[in-house]
Amino acid sequence: IILDDCEGEGSVAIYAKKISSILKEMPDGLISVNVEENEKINIESENGKIKHLIIGMKADDFPQYPESEDNITYTMLPTKELVTMINKTITSIAKEPFKPALRGIYFEKTDSKFAA
């Protein structure tokens, strides 16, 4: 996520499924996210036609991620490329709950490429 204009600091927790479904219906372009003090989150499309109000949770109520002793590197990947990779591999994911090893997508990064 690239922040174009951000005022202040803070944190809030949002259910992943909720924010994911909201972002899927947003048109291409910028979105505006405004977090109020009482964990109310206003999300609006750039053209103002799509608006959502969701209630978040206090981030302090959740455990912190453990610090990693390994050196972690992050890779920036354009959204369209990631979606294309997922769409091309999602048909191979098992739908049966008794095959948990086959219910995900394995991503691999080498020096010259990123593959799913």
Side-chain angles (χ1 to χ4, degrees), residues 5-82:
D5 183 20
C6 183
E7 296 176 13
E9 292 183 12
S11 59
V12 65
I14 306 169
Y15 285 111
K17 283 186 178 184
K18 185 73 168 175
I19 193 73
S20 176
S21 66
I22 289 171
L23 294 177
K24 283 180 185 177
E25 76 175 65
M26 288 290 185
D28 288 342
L30 299 175
I31 61 169
S32 172
V33 179
N34 183 26
V35 180
E36 298 176 12
E37 287 183 28
N38 53 0
E39 285 79 36
K40 285 185 180 178
I41 304 160
N42 294 297
I43 303 172
E44 185 175 341
S45 63
E46 187 174 21
N47 61 13
K49 291 183 179 180
I50 300 175
K51 297 179 182 181
H52 287 277
L53 172 65
I54 59 176
I55 305 299
M57 297 160 285
K58 292 182 181 186
D60 295 338
D61 293 344
F62 292 84
Q64 295 293 319
Y65 284 108
E67 292 291 326
S68 174
E69 294 181 18
D70 298 330
N71 287 335
I72 297 175
T73 58
Y74 295 93
T75 301
M76 298 296 287
L77 187 67
T79 304
K80 288 184 180 184
E81 281 186 43
L82 180 61

